[in-house]
Amino acid sequence: MKSTIPDTGVPIAPPAANGGDRQEASLHGEILLRLRDYVVEGNIPEGARVPERQLCEMLGISRTPLREALKVLAAEGLIELLPNRGARVRQLSQRDLEELFDVMAGLESLAGRLACEAITDAEITAIEQLHYEMYGRYLHRDMHGYFQANQRIHESIVAAARNETLMTAYANFAGRIRRVRYSANFARKRQRWAEAMREHEAILDALRRRAASELSDILFQHLRNKRAAAIEHLAEPEEGAPAAP
């Protein structure tokens, strides 16, 4: 699986001495982005301790900014902070996955229905562009780029619903299953990656037509299919992720 953190390590440049809060915020954001990708893409096994020293060397940073980023990932539900013992990657049971994906399916289904009532032509165009970017990544078997574009599409539909309460709930649950959502594309018994791409074609078509009920149903089933693939992948032998389909 492709990671944004190279094995040899590329230090993140610190902010200039007179850079102020803006550069510090930018540095924090880059650390968080790269660390989140590293965890989401399965580079640390579920339930395993987070190797803080190794990550500091990879990122070229000290423990303090790393631990600040780990606090954010803990709030998102990707990792668990252990009192005086560092952190570990959160491990989800099959029951956890079933419940979380069902909640996400309900939230995305509602978001799709509301989005069709409020979305602008410009927002649909932006989602179309993301869709074509995602398709290009799919054709090049770039799972990292595909997943990033995929998540932005889902987030854009939720944002178009114009409901702050829904957005807050979605963000809370999305972080907890982000890693599993990524790994589900590698389920062996079904060509999940290709299946998901076809489902996104249907999502875009319904959104263009502002077909609220249709889009709601498609999004709900899309998450249900993702849930099935995630549970299937969870039950597969640990041999690392297979080659992309």
Side-chain angles (χ1 to χ4, degrees):
M1 288 179 282
K2 184 179 179 181
S3 170
T4 55
I5 301 180
D7 293 336
T8 54
V10 178
I12 296 176
N18 61 349
D21 293 341
R22 181 174 299 177
Q23 284 108 330
E24 289 182 8
S26 177
L27 173 63
H28 174 73
E30 185 176 353
I31 293 170
L32 179 60
L33 177 63
R34 294 173 69 179
L35 185 59
R36 183 188 290 117
D37 285 346
Y38 194 74
V39 174
V40 166
E41 293 173 12
N43 292 287
I44 307 172
E46 287 190 1
R49 295 281 291 273
V50 175
E52 292 189 20
R53 180 178 299 176
Q54 177 185 341
L55 290 173
C56 285
E57 292 175 355
M58 285 181 175
L59 294 167
I61 59 174
S62 66
R63 287 283 180 91
T64 299
L66 177 70
R67 287 175 176 171
E68 289 301 313
L70 289 175
K71 289 178 183 178
V72 176
L73 296 189
E76 292 179 355
L78 274 174
I79 67 169
E80 296 175 297
L81 298 178
L82 307 173
N84 303 314
R85 291 184 292 126
R88 68 184 174 197
V89 175
R90 183 182 292 274
Q91 188 166 18
L92 299 174
S93 67
Q94 178 173 330
R95 183 60 182 165
D96 291 332
L97 293 180
E98 290 172 348
E99 292 180 354
L100 285 168
F101 271 101
D102 275 352
V103 171
M104 287 293 287
L107 291 174
E108 292 210 21
S109 175
L110 174 59
R113 184 178 295 275
L114 295 177
C116 286
E117 298 174 358
I119 197 166
T120 66
D121 290 343
E123 286 173 317
I124 291 177
T125 298
I127 291 173
E128 286 178 333
Q129 292 172 344
L130 285 171
H131 176 84
Y132 295 131
E133 176 187 341
M134 181 179 68
Y135 185 57
R137 301 286 189 177
Y138 167 75
L139 292 176
H140 288 90
R141 303 302 187 258
D142 174 8
M143 176 57 78
H144 173 80
Y146 168 90
F147 186 74
Q148 296 299 317
N150 178 290
Q151 293 302 286
R152 286 164 63 196
I153 289 171
H154 285 276
E155 290 164 2
S156 296
I157 293 173
V158 172
R162 307 287 194 272
N163 187 305
E164 292 294 332
T165 302
L166 174 59
M167 288 178 64
T168 300
Y170 179 84
N172 178 46
F173 287 105
R176 296 170 66 182
I177 63 170
R178 195 187 309 272
R179 175 186 170 102
V180 182
R181 226 169 153 158
Y182 181 92
S183 65
N185 291 294
F186 295 108
R188 295 182 183 132
K189 292 181 182 179
R190 67 173 76 197
Q191 296 293 321
R192 177 55 203 165
W193 196 357
E195 182 181 64
M197 194 66 237
R198 289 192 294 270
E199 289 166 7
H200 266 271
E201 292 281 358
I203 289 169
L204 180 59
D205 177 63
L207 187 62
R208 283 169 172 155
R209 292 183 286 108
R210 291 175 170 82
S213 295
E214 184 178 340
L215 179 59
S216 177
D217 290 344
I218 293 170
L219 284 167
F220 187 87
Q221 191 58 49
H222 179 62
L223 268 293
R224 270 298 180 88
N225 291 342
K226 179 74 77 173
R227 184 187 78 162
I231 292 171
E232 176 187 306
H233 185 65
L234 181 68
E236 290 172 347
E238 286 291 333
E239 299 177 0

